[in-house]
Amino acid sequence: MLKIVATAGLALLFGLSVAQAEAPAFQPQTLVLKNIPVATGPAVALFNGQDLDDWTAWLGYKDPAQTYLPKHDAPIGVAGKGDIFTVVSEDGAPALHVSGETWGSLVHKGDFRNYHLRLEYKWSGKRYAPRLNDPENNGLLYHTHGEPGAVWGTWSRAVEFEIMTGSVGMVVPVGNGLEVDSSVAIDPSIIDPKQRFMAGAPLGKTVGNTALWNIENNSNADKPVGEWNTLDLYVFANHAVHVVNGVPVMEVWGICDKASESAPCEPLIHGAIQLQSEGAETFFRNITIEPINSLPAIEVR
């Protein structure tokens, strides 16, 4: 593995900032979850298996290809329940169905802090333009706040636990001014900004809607299309751990948000839960949340 050193020449070569070039080269790790917290109260089901009355829906553009364009039509707005977001029976049990055909968001009406959230999801394999040739894509967004459709006319501001084939658990700040820190190493084999979570590495940053838009997961622990996956999200204040099928793949610190470009980045410690529709048919089930007063630890073996 190439060792990245702090020189402007190498930074330029790999498309990195000089600050990024000071990060270590990524080395594969085997990570395990330790000291899993005991719930301090009963678990609550966010999906009741019968209806979506506890959720609000918002849809972006009729043509999702307009989402990231500077000029576009008005978003559809408050809509989506009953067509894009529905309740179905899948594998003999109730499931929350996200068609993916129109991009949008389904936001739970609750406001949560200091919790362990668990859900199961699976892909059908059906994808829609403009993501016909892309990996299946969706997202579990937490600390959701602000107006619906504030981000690209489609999503609310939040921190994303990415649900994308091959990148499940990646962290993405959704919205200008949102920032997240993590232990970052540089992996030249992945797309820009080439940042990947590596336990024990120095802290690096990802900033919403900038060139430093994401930090990739430590490893891919998702199952093939058509199989159910289990996600565990542990959140305490502005610190979180992402777990995929029992494997910790991401830890984030310092989640914060700016009210304006000149304002300080204030800690973001609570918010709603948001599910995306982003071009791939997805099924969710067994969505529960329970209170905790600490986070699990990540151990390198």
Side-chain angles (χ1 to χ4, degrees), residues 65-84:
Q66 295 187 6
T67 303
Y68 302 114
L69 299 180
K71 292 185 178 180
H72 45 69
D73 299 330
I76 297 169
V78 179
K81 288 200 286 189
D83 49 7
I84 303 303

PDB file of all heavy atoms in Angstrom, residues 65-84:
ATOM      1  N   ALA A  65     -33.529  13.734 -12.710  1.00  0.00           N
ATOM      2  CA  ALA A  65     -32.280  14.182 -13.323  1.00  0.00           C
ATOM      3  C   ALA A  65     -32.044  15.672 -13.108  1.00  0.00           C
ATOM      4  O   ALA A  65     -30.921  16.162 -13.282  1.00  0.00           O
ATOM      5  CB  ALA A  65     -32.284  13.858 -14.814  1.00  0.00           C
ATOM      6  N   GLN A  66     -33.090  16.417 -12.722  1.00  0.00           N
ATOM      7  CA  GLN A  66     -32.935  17.851 -12.456  1.00  0.00           C
ATOM      8  C   GLN A  66     -32.352  18.138 -11.066  1.00  0.00           C
ATOM      9  O   GLN A  66     -31.996  19.287 -10.778  1.00  0.00           O
ATOM     10  CB  GLN A  66     -34.292  18.552 -12.557  1.00  0.00           C
ATOM     11  CG  GLN A  66     -34.911  18.540 -13.928  1.00  0.00           C
ATOM     12  CD  GLN A  66     -36.177  19.396 -13.965  1.00  0.00           C
ATOM     13  OE1 GLN A  66     -36.533  20.086 -13.017  1.00  0.00           O
ATOM     14  NE2 GLN A  66     -36.871  19.346 -15.094  1.00  0.00           N
ATOM     15  N   THR A  67     -32.242  17.126 -10.225  1.00  0.00           N
ATOM     16  CA  THR A  67     -31.958  17.347  -8.808  1.00  0.00           C
ATOM     17  C   THR A  67     -30.730  18.205  -8.566  1.00  0.00           C
ATOM     18  O   THR A  67     -30.748  19.108  -7.728  1.00  0.00           O
ATOM     19  CB  THR A  67     -31.806  15.996  -8.076  1.00  0.00           C
ATOM     20  OG1 THR A  67     -32.998  15.232  -8.261  1.00  0.00           O
ATOM     21  CG2 THR A  67     -31.569  16.213  -6.585  1.00  0.00           C
ATOM     22  N   TYR A  68     -29.637  17.951  -9.272  1.00  0.00           N
ATOM     23  CA  TYR A  68     -28.390  18.669  -8.990  1.00  0.00           C
ATOM     24  C   TYR A  68     -28.085  19.754 -10.019  1.00  0.00           C
ATOM     25  O   TYR A  68     -26.969  20.267 -10.067  1.00  0.00           O
ATOM     26  CB  TYR A  68     -27.230  17.666  -8.912  1.00  0.00           C
ATOM     27  CG  TYR A  68     -27.447  16.607  -7.858  1.00  0.00           C
ATOM     28  CD1 TYR A  68     -27.618  15.275  -8.218  1.00  0.00           C
ATOM     29  CD2 TYR A  68     -27.494  16.939  -6.516  1.00  0.00           C
ATOM     30  CE1 TYR A  68     -27.837  14.298  -7.251  1.00  0.00           C
ATOM     31  CE2 TYR A  68     -27.707  15.976  -5.542  1.00  0.00           C
ATOM     32  CZ  TYR A  68     -27.880  14.660  -5.918  1.00  0.00           C
ATOM     33  OH  TYR A  68     -28.094  13.713  -4.960  1.00  0.00           O
ATOM     34  N   LEU A  69     -29.084  20.101 -10.833  1.00  0.00           N
ATOM     35  CA  LEU A  69     -28.885  21.142 -11.845  1.00  0.00           C
ATOM     36  C   LEU A  69     -29.165  22.527 -11.256  1.00  0.00           C
ATOM     37  O   LEU A  69     -30.042  22.681 -10.406  1.00  0.00           O
ATOM     38  CB  LEU A  69     -29.807  20.902 -13.037  1.00  0.00           C
ATOM     39  CG  LEU A  69     -29.624  19.595 -13.806  1.00  0.00           C
ATOM     40  CD1 LEU A  69     -30.621  19.515 -14.959  1.00  0.00           C
ATOM     41  CD2 LEU A  69     -28.197  19.471 -14.326  1.00  0.00           C
ATOM     42  N   PRO A  70     -28.452  23.554 -11.727  1.00  0.00           N
ATOM     43  CA  PRO A  70     -28.718  24.901 -11.219  1.00  0.00           C
ATOM     44  C   PRO A  70     -30.079  25.444 -11.627  1.00  0.00           C
ATOM     45  O   PRO A  70     -30.658  26.266 -10.922  1.00  0.00           O
ATOM     46  CB  PRO A  70     -27.573  25.734 -11.829  1.00  0.00           C
ATOM     47  CG  PRO A  70     -27.099  24.947 -13.007  1.00  0.00           C
ATOM     48  CD  PRO A  70     -27.319  23.512 -12.662  1.00  0.00           C
ATOM     49  N   LYS A  71     -30.606  24.985 -12.775  1.00  0.00           N
ATOM     50  CA  LYS A  71     -31.929  25.410 -13.219  1.00  0.00           C
ATOM     51  C   LYS A  71     -32.834  24.184 -13.260  1.00  0.00           C
ATOM     52  O   LYS A  71     -32.464  23.144 -13.817  1.00  0.00           O
ATOM     53  CB  LYS A  71     -31.856  26.057 -14.601  1.00  0.00           C
ATOM     54  CG  LYS A  71     -31.118  27.392 -14.614  1.00  0.00           C
ATOM     55  CD  LYS A  71     -31.181  28.041 -15.973  1.00  0.00           C
ATOM     56  CE  LYS A  71     -30.479  29.402 -15.977  1.00  0.00           C
ATOM     57  NZ  LYS A  71     -30.536  30.045 -17.306  1.00  0.00           N
ATOM     58  N   HIS A  72     -34.032  24.308 -12.678  1.00  0.00           N
ATOM     59  CA  HIS A  72     -34.920  23.163 -12.586  1.00  0.00           C
ATOM     60  C   HIS A  72     -36.345  23.638 -12.356  1.00  0.00           C
ATOM     61  O   HIS A  72     -36.594  24.795 -12.020  1.00  0.00           O
ATOM     62  CB  HIS A  72     -34.486  22.238 -11.450  1.00  0.00           C
ATOM     63  CG  HIS A  72     -34.157  22.970 -10.178  1.00  0.00           C
ATOM     64  ND1 HIS A  72     -35.105  23.604  -9.410  1.00  0.00           N
ATOM     65  CD2 HIS A  72     -32.962  23.190  -9.572  1.00  0.00           C
ATOM     66  CE1 HIS A  72     -34.520  24.181  -8.375  1.00  0.00           C
ATOM     67  NE2 HIS A  72     -33.222  23.954  -8.445  1.00  0.00           N
ATOM     68  N   ASP A  73     -37.288  22.724 -12.521  1.00  0.00           N
ATOM     69  CA  ASP A  73     -38.677  23.016 -12.211  1.00  0.00           C
ATOM     70  C   ASP A  73     -38.857  23.076 -10.699  1.00  0.00           C
ATOM     71  O   ASP A  73     -37.947  22.733  -9.929  1.00  0.00           O
ATOM     72  CB  ASP A  73     -39.583  21.929 -12.791  1.00  0.00           C
ATOM     73  CG  ASP A  73     -39.483  21.841 -14.298  1.00  0.00           C
ATOM     74  OD1 ASP A  73     -39.216  22.874 -14.934  1.00  0.00           O
ATOM     75  OD2 ASP A  73     -39.663  20.720 -14.834  1.00  0.00           O
ATOM     76  N   ALA A  74     -40.039  23.477 -10.255  1.00  0.00           N
ATOM     77  CA  ALA A  74     -40.342  23.451  -8.824  1.00  0.00           C
ATOM     78  C   ALA A  74     -40.493  22.005  -8.374  1.00  0.00           C
ATOM     79  O   ALA A  74     -40.981  21.153  -9.120  1.00  0.00           O
ATOM     80  CB  ALA A  74     -41.615  24.229  -8.539  1.00  0.00           C
ATOM     81  N   PRO A  75     -40.077  21.692  -7.136  1.00  0.00           N
ATOM     82  CA  PRO A  75     -40.300  20.331  -6.633  1.00  0.00           C
ATOM     83  C   PRO A  75     -41.787  20.044  -6.477  1.00  0.00           C
ATOM     84  O   PRO A  75     -42.610  20.955  -6.367  1.00  0.00           O
ATOM     85  CB  PRO A  75     -39.568  20.337  -5.289  1.00  0.00           C
ATOM     86  CG  PRO A  75     -39.513  21.770  -4.879  1.00  0.00           C
ATOM     87  CD  PRO A  75     -39.410  22.559  -6.145  1.00  0.00           C
ATOM     88  N   ILE A  76     -42.125  18.786  -6.444  1.00  0.00           N
ATOM     89  CA  ILE A  76     -43.521  18.386  -6.278  1.00  0.00           C
ATOM     90  C   ILE A  76     -44.034  18.827  -4.915  1.00  0.00           C
ATOM     91  O   ILE A  76     -45.145  19.324  -4.776  1.00  0.00           O
ATOM     92  CB  ILE A  76     -43.662  16.860  -6.443  1.00  0.00           C
ATOM     93  CG1 ILE A  76     -43.267  16.459  -7.869  1.00  0.00           C
ATOM     94  CG2 ILE A  76     -45.084  16.403  -6.118  1.00  0.00           C
ATOM     95  CD1 ILE A  76     -43.107  14.966  -8.053  1.00  0.00           C
ATOM     96  N   GLY A  77     -43.239  18.623  -3.869  1.00  0.00           N
ATOM     97  CA  GLY A  77     -43.599  19.081  -2.522  1.00  0.00           C
ATOM     98  C   GLY A  77     -44.246  17.997  -1.683  1.00  0.00           C
ATOM     99  O   GLY A  77     -43.860  16.827  -1.752  1.00  0.00           O
ATOM    100  N   VAL A  78     -45.244  18.381  -0.879  1.00  0.00           N
ATOM    101  CA  VAL A  78     -45.889  17.452   0.044  1.00  0.00           C
ATOM    102  C   VAL A  78     -46.690  16.425  -0.756  1.00  0.00           C
ATOM    103  O   VAL A  78     -47.761  16.720  -1.283  1.00  0.00           O
ATOM    104  CB  VAL A  78     -46.810  18.197   1.033  1.00  0.00           C
ATOM    105  CG1 VAL A  78     -47.500  17.202   1.964  1.00  0.00           C
ATOM    106  CG2 VAL A  78     -46.016  19.212   1.844  1.00  0.00           C
ATOM    107  N   ALA A  79     -46.152  15.223  -0.844  1.00  0.00           N
ATOM    108  CA  ALA A  79     -46.778  14.150  -1.624  1.00  0.00           C
ATOM    109  C   ALA A  79     -45.938  12.896  -1.422  1.00  0.00           C
ATOM    110  O   ALA A  79     -44.858  12.940  -0.843  1.00  0.00           O
ATOM    111  CB  ALA A  79     -46.842  14.516  -3.106  1.00  0.00           C
ATOM    112  N   GLY A  80     -46.455  11.781  -1.911  1.00  0.00           N
ATOM    113  CA  GLY A  80     -45.657  10.553  -1.932  1.00  0.00           C
ATOM    114  C   GLY A  80     -46.255   9.395  -1.174  1.00  0.00           C
ATOM    115  O   GLY A  80     -46.016   8.235  -1.526  1.00  0.00           O
ATOM    116  N   LYS A  81     -47.031   9.671  -0.112  1.00  0.00           N
ATOM    117  CA  LYS A  81     -47.644   8.563   0.615  1.00  0.00           C
ATOM    118  C   LYS A  81     -48.767   7.981  -0.242  1.00  0.00           C
ATOM    119  O   LYS A  81     -49.631   8.703  -0.728  1.00  0.00           O
ATOM    120  CB  LYS A  81     -48.172   9.031   1.975  1.00  0.00           C
ATOM    121  CG  LYS A  81     -47.048   9.334   2.959  1.00  0.00           C
ATOM    122  CD  LYS A  81     -47.500   9.320   4.406  1.00  0.00           C
ATOM    123  CE  LYS A  81     -48.318  10.513   4.796  1.00  0.00           C
ATOM    124  NZ  LYS A  81     -48.559  10.570   6.276  1.00  0.00           N
ATOM    125  N   GLY A  82     -48.732   6.676  -0.419  1.00  0.00           N
ATOM    126  CA  GLY A  82     -49.732   6.007  -1.240  1.00  0.00           C
ATOM    127  C   GLY A  82     -49.223   5.617  -2.607  1.00  0.00           C
ATOM    128  O   GLY A  82     -49.868   4.811  -3.289  1.00  0.00           O
ATOM    129  N   ASP A  83     -48.071   6.174  -3.039  1.00  0.00           N
ATOM    130  CA  ASP A  83     -47.492   5.742  -4.313  1.00  0.00           C
ATOM    131  C   ASP A  83     -45.985   5.491  -4.185  1.00  0.00           C
ATOM    132  O   ASP A  83     -45.531   4.369  -4.356  1.00  0.00           O
ATOM    133  CB  ASP A  83     -47.803   6.737  -5.441  1.00  0.00           C
ATOM    134  CG  ASP A  83     -47.516   8.184  -5.074  1.00  0.00           C
ATOM    135  OD1 ASP A  83     -46.947   8.451  -4.007  1.00  0.00           O
ATOM    136  OD2 ASP A  83     -47.863   9.071  -5.872  1.00  0.00           O
ATOM    137  N   ILE A  84     -45.218   6.525  -3.854  1.00  0.00           N
ATOM    138  CA  ILE A  84     -43.768   6.327  -3.679  1.00  0.00           C
ATOM    139  C   ILE A  84     -43.478   5.617  -2.363  1.00  0.00           C
ATOM    140  O   ILE A  84     -42.607   4.749  -2.289  1.00  0.00           O
ATOM    141  CB  ILE A  84     -43.024   7.666  -3.747  1.00  0.00           C
ATOM    142  CG1 ILE A  84     -43.322   8.382  -5.067  1.00  0.00           C
ATOM    143  CG2 ILE A  84     -41.524   7.454  -3.589  1.00  0.00           C
ATOM    144  CD1 ILE A  84     -42.987   7.576  -6.304  1.00  0.00           C
TER     145      ILE A  84
END
